[in-house]
């Protein structure tokens, strides 16, 4: 045996495979994606008795068919990589169901170790298993384990080494009786056509007779074009002849044969003690899956997820943000100093990037808690029940039971985020439903949309805030379901679908290490995949807002204004004891010192923190310190401080005015103006266009940009609601415009981070582009319809929102009823034998 071997852990979902993998490999793990797909590739390493073992945790799957992406990924790895040992982990309490996958692994000619995991659950259910007898009948090592307790780990490691040293391949496990002749005939034909196949010929013949789509690909890869067509034609003829003669499909015959073989294997091996007590799982399910109680438990679960992760988790940012703020100050100290009116480009860009990164990192505590809660739901077994409860409803609109989690993460209620929502779609086995879910998640109410909604409601819907929030929070779900139905019946119609296979696992107590590990892994993947992109986008947005910049005449104007403020400051310091500090050499440094001090005081916590700031700045420059904190009785210092404050405020006002004018003249501002010819039908002017464009980088940018565009004048206490309300209403804006903006923002394309995640999950730039263009057209169409019709019919904003809401709800009910009738007619086609393969 070599000094290094590779093992592949295979098994159904919820059989404890990941727990055993963690137990075997400990912390020496790595998570990536399989090439070309979004399914997780998790592998680790351990050393046992001098042998280095590379362990690969394959996606959880019920069989090795081509129904789902997980099944294809697992099968492709086993066929192409040919691990030294396949470790098949099964639920010991449900062997009859679990051994279908075992049979398929043996038919692929893989050296096997069968692991009967969760033996404690089997015992509690009154199940007794004669492991020795099963091992003798199966012809492969059989090991008992309790993964959550680490029991049986060393026995499994020993069995792996022994099986890897024994290169004898397993015998043919199942006699398919009437199908054996076609199998042998096709296998012989395959051997004549191609000298050497990279996969077991008998297995390939069996899959071709099943008309397996991935087997057809293997033929095309291994045979010449002419030979490939002949093989596929011959296989189809044999399959049709068998089905005509026997009156049963090849797939159904295979399932029946495997069922019969498994029954013989387990006859006398598995004994069920009928006097065993009812399982805890059954007792819990009687309550949580009760027809009336199930929705209540589901709502409570969703509420707790939001309450713990979004509400309570957000409180943690009060503790993490000071560290991010200090990091910003550290970077600011390393960058070139700020100028009086204009900062060096390196400083401006550097701080812009830090602020963009901090925006992302500030939500890390929320994601850590959110992913930990999801891991608990998954490990406990309740996540599968959520999918079971909602599948029937979601299926009517082209979605899947497992679309539930992504939609929850995206923000079924306000407070989610589309990025982890799109990430979570990788677990949906139905490709068409997975794609539809990817495009539906961004319609949810992510936390970053709330500020704009709040702003518009505070200006235009003061008397109808509650009703409008109800409309917004539920209308987005309605739109998501309708869009999903539209996409699955049009552009996604040709995508592969798979039957909804749902096995409700036994309830388990999640392990603390497993929950923490997956929370850290998923959060780190989020930071790596999104954080780098956010930085790149920040550079692009910064550039578009800075160039081409102000004209020479305007710059001369602002410099003259700045010079006037400086002269005024220096004149007020003419008879002051601190006059030397107002010299041209000290001026910029003094102003920056003042701003740094004020910002540090704002970030300081408590009296001790405030005192520490005073000490630090006194040490930094003892000469400047009296002007920012005048000593008692020092009238010159007090007068100088007031003069300095006036200068700082004048400088701040000039810089703000320059920033607004630069934005107006910028490439992004020019784009906003050019869009008015189209967006005018929705009531949007160039300022709204720029705000919406900036929100593409991050949703929060919409309000931040509006705050820049609607600058304060002389009233320094005016809020953005007051400033924007006065200006827009003076220009003729009404609540109808606000309704138009809200609808567009609800249907607006996902933010850049989400579109990047769409690219990652779909593997296609075209789908990423579609995720931008389709919602843009849809949102603009709906907004234009609302604003134009409302203006023409003289309808108020709240009346128009009510009409749109009721129309969308009626359409949803109509589509849902039609979908239910169609499901009833074709329900038989959705039922499959879950052991098929």
């Amino acid at each position: 045996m070599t000094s290094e071997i590779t093992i592949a852990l295979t098994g159904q979902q919820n059989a404890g495979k990941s727990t055993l993998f963690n137990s075997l490999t400990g912390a020496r793990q790595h998570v990536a994606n399989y090439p070309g797909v979004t399914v997780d590739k998790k592998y680790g390493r351990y050393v046992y008795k001098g042998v280095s073992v590379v362990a690969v945790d394959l996606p959880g799957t019920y069989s090795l068919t081509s129904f789902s992406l997980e099944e294809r990924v697992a099968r492709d790895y086993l066929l192409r990589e040919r691990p030294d040992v396949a470790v098949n982990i099964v639920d010991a309490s449900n062997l009859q169901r679990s051994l279908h996958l075992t049979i398929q692994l043996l038919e692929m000619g893989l050296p096997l170790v069968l692991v009967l995991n969760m033996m404690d659950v089997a015992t509690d259910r009154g199940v007794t298993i004669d492991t020795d007898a099963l091992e003798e009948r199966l012809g492969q090592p059989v090991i008992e384990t309790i993964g959550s307790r680490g029991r049986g780990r060393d026995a499994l490691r020993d069995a792996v080494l022994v099986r890897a040293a024994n290169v004898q391949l397993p015998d043919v496990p199942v006699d398919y009786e009437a199908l054996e002749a076609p199998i042998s005939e096709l296998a012989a034909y395959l051997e004549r056509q191609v000298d050497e196949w990279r996969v077991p010929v008998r297995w390939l013949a069996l899959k071709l007779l099943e008309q397996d789509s991935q087997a057809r690909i293997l033929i095309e890869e291994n045979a010449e074009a002419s030979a490939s067509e002949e093989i596929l034609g011959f296989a189809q003829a044999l399959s049709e002849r068998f089905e005509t003669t026997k009156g049963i499909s090849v797939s159904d015959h295979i399932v029946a044969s495997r069922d019969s073989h498994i029954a013989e294997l387990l006859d006398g091996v598995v004994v069920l003690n009928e006097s065993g007590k009812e399982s805890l799982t059954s007792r819990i399910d009687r309550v949580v899956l009760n027809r009336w109680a199930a929705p209540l438990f589901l709502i409570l679960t969703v509420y707790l997820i939001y309450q713990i992760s979004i509400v309570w988790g957000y409180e943690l940012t009060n503790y993490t943000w000071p560290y991010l703020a200090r990091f910003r100050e550290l970077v600011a100290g390393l960058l070139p100093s700020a100028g009086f009116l204009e900062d060096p480009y390196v400083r401006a860009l550097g701080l812009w990037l830090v602020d963009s990164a901090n925006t992302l990192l500030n939500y890390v505590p929320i994601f850590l808690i959110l992913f930990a809660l999801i891991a608990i739901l998954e490990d406990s077994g309740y996540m599968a029940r959520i999918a079971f409860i909602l599948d029937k409803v979601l299926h009517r609109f082209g979605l899947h039971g497992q679309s539930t989690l992504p939609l929850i993460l995206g923000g079924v209620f306000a407070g989610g985020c589309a990025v982890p929502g799109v990430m979570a779609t990788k677990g949906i086995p139905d490709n068409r439903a997975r794609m539809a879910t990817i495009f539906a998640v961004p319609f949810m109410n992510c936390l970053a949309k709330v500020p704009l909604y709040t702003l518009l409601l505070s200006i235009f819907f003061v008397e109808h805030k509650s009703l409008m929030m109800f409309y917004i929070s539920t209308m987005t779900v309605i739109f998501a379901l309708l869009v999903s139905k539209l996409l699955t019946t049009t552009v996604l119609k040709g995508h592969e679908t798979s039957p909804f296979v749902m096995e409700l696992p036994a309830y388990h107590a999640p392990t603390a290490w497993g929950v923490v590990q997956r929370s850290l892994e998923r959060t780190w993947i989020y930071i790596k995949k999104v954080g780098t992109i956010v930085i790149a986008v920040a550079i692009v947005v910064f550039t578009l807002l800075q160039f081409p910049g102000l004209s020479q005449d305007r710059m001369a104007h602002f410099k003259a204004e700045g010079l006037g403020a400086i002269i005024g400051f220096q004149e007020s310091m003419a008879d002051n004891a601190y006059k030397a500090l107002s010299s041209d050499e000290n001026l910029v440094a003094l102003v920056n010192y003042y701003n740094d001090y004020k910002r540090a005081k704002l970030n300081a916590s408590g009296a001790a923190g405030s005192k520490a700031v005073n000490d630090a700045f006194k040490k930094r420059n003892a000469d400047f310190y009296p002007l920012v904190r005048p000593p008692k009785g020092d009238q010159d210092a007090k007068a100088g401080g007031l003069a300095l404050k006036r200068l700082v405020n004048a400088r701040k006002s000039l810089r703000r005015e320059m920033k607004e004018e630069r934005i107006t003249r910028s490439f992004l501002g020019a784009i906003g103006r050019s869009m008015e010819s189209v967006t005018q039908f929705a009531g949007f002017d160039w300022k709204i266009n720029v705000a919406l464009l900036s929100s593409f980088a991050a949703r929060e940018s919409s309000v931040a940009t509006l705050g820049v565009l609607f600058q304060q004048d002389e009233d320094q206490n005016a809020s953005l609601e007051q400033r924007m309300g006065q200006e827009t209403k003076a220009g003729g804006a009404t609540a109808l415009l606000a309704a138009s903006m809200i609808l567009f923002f609800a249907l607006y394309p996902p933010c850049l981070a989400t579109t990047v995640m769409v690219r990652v999950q779909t593997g296609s730039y075209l789908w990423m582009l579609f995720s931008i263009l389709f919602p843009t057209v849809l949102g603009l169409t709906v907004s234009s319809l609302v604003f134009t019709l409302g203006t023409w019919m003289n309808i108020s904003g709240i009346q128009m929102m009510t009409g749109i809401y009721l129309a969308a709800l009626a359409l949803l009910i109509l589509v849902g009823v039609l979908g239910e009738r169609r499901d009833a007619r074709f329900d038989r086609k959705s039922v499959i034998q879950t052991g098929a393969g």
Side-chain angles (χ1 to χ4, degrees):
M1 184 171 59
T2 61
S3 59
E4 180 176 288
I5 63 173
T6 300
I7 65 173
L9 276 66
T10 66
Q12 301 169 9
Q13 299 173 4
N14 303 302
K17 181 168 57 65
S18 295
T19 302
L20 266 178
F21 175 79
N22 293 335
S23 178
L24 286 173
T25 62
R28 302 181 64 181
Q29 302 173 7
H30 183 70
V31 179
N33 282 338
Y34 288 93
V37 298
T38 60
V39 177
D40 279 346
K41 178 182 183 181
K42 190 174 183 181
Y43 56 92
R45 182 184 296 270
Y46 68 90
V47 178
Y48 187 70
K49 293 185 177 180
V51 179
S52 178
V53 181
V54 176
V56 180
D57 186 12
L58 294 179
T61 176
Y62 293 97
S63 67
L64 296 175
T65 65
S66 58
F67 279 137
S68 72
L69 181 60
E70 283 79 2
E71 292 173 345
R72 291 198 295 270
V73 166
R75 192 172 77 178
D76 286 348
Y77 178 86
L78 294 170
L79 285 173
R80 299 177 190 277
E81 302 298 329
R82 304 298 294 182
D84 297 291
V85 179
V87 178
N88 181 207
I89 301 166
V90 300
D91 180 356
S93 64
N94 193 7
L95 275 183
Q96 180 76 33
R97 167 70 182 86
S98 302
L99 288 181
H100 279 276
L101 179 60
T102 308
I103 297 300
Q104 294 169 66
L105 292 168
L106 292 174
E107 287 179 337
M108 293 173 70
L110 293 167
L112 185 76
V113 173
L114 181 64
V115 179
L116 306 183
N117 195 31
M118 300 191 291
M119 286 297 297
D120 52 338
V121 176
T123 301
D124 290 341
R125 293 184 178 181
V127 177
T128 303
I129 303 174
D130 187 341
T131 306
D132 294 335
L134 179 60
E135 181 173 302
E136 182 179 353
R137 294 183 184 182
L138 198 61
Q140 305 294 320
V142 179
I143 305 298
E144 296 181 359
T145 63
I146 303 177
S148 59
R149 303 177 189 172
R151 188 175 301 174
R153 179 179 58 186
D154 289 342
L156 173 57
R157 288 175 168 176
D158 286 329
V160 165
L161 296 185
V162 172
R163 191 66 186 91
N166 180 9
V167 296
Q168 180 180 357
L169 296 179
D171 297 329
V172 176
V174 180
D175 180 2
Y176 289 106
E177 299 177 346
L179 192 61
E180 285 295 332
I183 293 173
S184 299
E185 187 176 353
L186 182 54
Y189 187 81
L190 290 170
E191 290 176 338
R192 290 196 301 270
Q193 292 291 333
V194 177
D195 294 334
E196 184 177 354
W197 292 91
R198 292 180 294 175
V199 296
V201 176
R202 175 183 168 84
W203 174 86
L204 182 58
L206 188 64
K207 304 310 291 181
L208 286 173
L209 290 172
E210 284 186 282
Q211 300 295 303
D212 184 280
S213 60
Q214 297 300 304
R216 298 171 65 91
I217 295 175
L218 286 174
I219 295 296
E220 294 168 355
E221 290 177 349
N222 288 270
E224 298 291 337
S226 56
S228 174
E229 292 180 5
E230 292 179 9
I231 292 171
L232 295 176
F234 185 62
Q236 185 173 355
L238 288 175
S239 180
E240 291 175 354
R241 187 175 68 188
F242 175 85
E243 293 181 359
T244 301
T245 304
K246 301 300 180 182
I248 186 174
S249 70
V250 172
S251 295
D252 287 346
H253 178 80
I254 290 174
V255 170
S257 299
R258 287 175 180 164
D259 276 334
S260 176
H261 180 76
I262 291 172
E264 293 177 4
L265 273 177
L266 299 181
D267 184 27
V269 170
V270 177
V271 178
L272 179 62
N273 180 7
E274 297 296 340
S275 62
K277 62 182 180 180
E278 183 184 16
S279 67
L280 176 63
T281 294
S282 298
R283 295 199 300 271
I284 295 175
D285 277 346
R286 272 211 315 271
V287 178
V288 301
L289 294 184
N290 177 273
R291 179 178 181 181
W292 305 108
L296 298 178
F297 277 102
L298 178 58
I299 293 172
L300 177 62
T301 300
V302 173
Y303 170 79
L304 287 176
I305 288 175
Y306 277 107
Q307 182 67 26
I308 296 173
S309 62
I310 304 299
V311 179
W312 296 347
Y314 189 78
E315 294 298 319
L316 293 178
T317 61
N318 294 329
Y319 301 96
T320 58
W321 180 252
Y323 293 100
L324 297 176
R326 289 173 195 168
F327 173 70
R328 186 188 190 280
E329 292 299 312
L330 176 64
V331 174
L334 298 175
L335 294 171
S337 299
F340 187 75
L341 289 182
E342 289 189 292
D343 294 341
Y345 187 82
V346 173
R347 178 183 179 83
L349 177 59
L351 292 180
W352 179 282
L353 296 181
V354 171
D355 290 338
S356 299
N358 279 355
T359 300
L360 168 68
L361 296 175
N362 191 42
Y363 291 101
V364 166
I366 294 176
F367 285 121
L368 285 170
I369 296 174
L370 189 61
F371 287 136
L373 293 174
I374 292 169
I376 291 173
L377 290 180
E378 291 172 339
D379 288 354
S380 67
Y382 187 66
M383 186 64 76
R385 286 158 174 84
I386 293 177
F388 173 79
I389 294 168
L390 293 180
D391 177 71
K392 186 175 181 180
V393 174
L394 294 176
H395 181 70
R396 297 175 188 172
F397 300 95
L399 298 175
H400 190 278
Q402 293 184 16
S403 300
T404 306
L405 174 61
L407 294 176
I408 290 174
L409 295 179
V412 170
F413 308 110
C417 178
V419 174
V422 174
M423 287 173 62
T425 60
K426 66 172 61 180
I428 302 174
D430 185 305
N431 189 55
R432 184 166 66 191
R434 187 176 73 87
M435 294 290 290
T437 308
I438 287 173
F439 298 124
V441 164
F443 289 116
M444 299 297 101
N445 288 314
C446 72
L447 184 65
K449 291 183 179 181
V450 175
L452 183 64
Y453 293 151
T454 304
L455 174 67
L456 294 176
L457 296 187
S458 299
I459 296 174
F460 295 100
F461 296 97
V462 178
E463 297 178 358
H464 304 286
K465 275 188 179 182
S466 299
L467 180 60
M468 284 295 295
M469 280 308 301
F470 171 76
Y471 284 161
I472 293 170
S473 60
T474 54
M475 187 181 290
T476 49
V477 178
I478 294 173
F479 281 139
L481 294 176
L482 291 175
V483 167
S484 298
K485 187 65 175 180
L486 174 65
L487 294 180
T488 52
T489 54
T490 54
V491 295
L492 298 177
K493 188 175 182 179
H495 281 249
E496 288 183 312
T497 61
S498 63
F500 180 56
V501 180
M502 175 54 63
E503 179 176 356
L504 299 181
Y507 288 104
H508 303 285
T511 61
W513 170 241
V515 169
V516 171
Q517 188 177 42
R518 265 185 293 169
S519 176
L520 292 173
E521 286 174 355
R522 292 171 177 176
T523 303
W524 180 239
I525 290 173
Y526 167 78
I527 292 173
K528 286 194 302 183
K529 289 185 176 178
V530 181
T532 52
I533 302 301
V534 168
I535 297 300
V537 172
I539 294 174
V540 174
V541 173
F542 179 82
T543 303
L544 291 176
L545 287 175
Q546 296 299 314
F547 291 98
L550 301 176
S551 65
Q552 291 183 351
D553 290 343
R554 293 304 297 164
M555 278 304 303
H557 165 75
F558 287 117
K559 286 180 179 180
E561 291 287 325
L563 181 59
I566 293 173
I567 293 173
F569 170 66
Q570 291 175 337
E571 288 177 350
S572 65
M573 296 289 290
D575 298 325
N576 195 293
Y578 297 93
K579 175 182 177 181
L581 300 182
S582 66
S583 66
D584 292 342
E585 294 79 10
N586 291 326
L587 189 69
V588 174
L590 178 62
V591 169
N592 289 335
Y593 181 89
Y594 178 93
N595 285 329
D596 292 346
Y597 176 78
K598 294 300 181 183
R599 191 166 56 250
K601 292 289 280 187
L602 285 174
N603 292 330
S605 55
S610 180
K611 184 178 183 302
V613 170
N614 291 338
D615 294 340
F617 274 80
K618 189 173 184 179
K619 183 178 179 181
R620 173 175 160 179
N621 194 316
D623 295 333
F624 290 170
Y625 186 72
L627 292 188
V628 298
R629 189 172 177 80
K632 289 183 179 180
D634 191 338
Q635 296 301 319
D636 281 350
K638 185 177 181 180
L642 291 174
L644 177 59
K645 183 179 180 180
R646 288 195 296 270
L647 175 65
V648 169
N649 288 337
R651 171 184 182 254
K652 185 187 299 183
S653 178
L654 286 171
R655 287 168 68 98
R656 187 185 298 117
E657 188 177 347
M658 290 174 64
K659 183 178 181 181
E660 180 176 0
E661 192 165 324
R662 185 179 289 111
I663 291 175
T664 304
R665 290 175 46 85
S666 68
F667 291 138
L668 201 56
I671 293 172
R673 291 186 183 279
S674 67
M675 292 168 58
E676 283 186 331
S677 59
V678 176
T679 62
Q680 62 177 324
F681 300 105
F684 303 163
D685 62 9
W686 74 271
K687 286 189 175 183
I688 295 175
N689 292 341
V690 168
L692 294 174
L693 281 174
S694 68
S695 71
F696 177 64
R699 285 289 179 263
E700 300 89 342
S701 300
S702 60
V703 173
T705 304
L706 288 172
V708 173
L709 297 177
F710 292 94
Q711 286 289 339
Q712 297 194 49
D713 294 322
E714 297 179 358
D715 187 0
Q716 296 295 319
N717 295 320
S719 65
L720 176 58
E721 285 86 350
Q722 293 172 322
R723 303 193 313 268
M724 183 176 172
Q726 290 173 359
E727 185 171 334
T728 54
K729 289 178 180 179
T734 64
L736 189 62
L737 170 62
S740 175
M741 287 183 64
I742 289 171
L743 288 170
F744 182 81
F745 205 63
L747 299 172
Y748 190 55
C751 66
L752 191 68
T754 305
T755 59
V756 172
M757 193 53 62
V758 170
R759 162 66 181 86
V760 171
Q761 295 301 317
T762 62
S764 168
Y765 285 104
L766 289 178
W767 283 122
M768 182 180 78
L769 186 62
F770 177 81
S771 74
I772 298 172
L773 296 180
F774 173 72
T776 301
V777 173
L778 178 63
L780 194 58
T781 300
V782 172
S783 297
S784 299
L785 183 66
V786 166
F787 186 78
T788 303
L789 283 179
T791 302
W792 178 60
M793 300 174 66
N794 196 26
I795 297 177
S796 68
I798 190 65
Q799 290 174 331
M800 199 66 190
M801 281 293 291
T802 301
I804 290 293
Y805 182 84
L806 293 177
L809 182 61
L811 182 59
L812 182 78
I813 295 172
L814 179 62
V815 171
V817 170
L818 292 177
E820 183 177 16
R821 291 178 178 175
R822 183 181 181 278
D823 290 343
R825 284 186 291 150
F826 294 97
D827 185 58
R828 183 174 297 180
K829 292 186 178 181
S830 68
V831 179
I832 68 163
Q833 293 281 353
T834 56

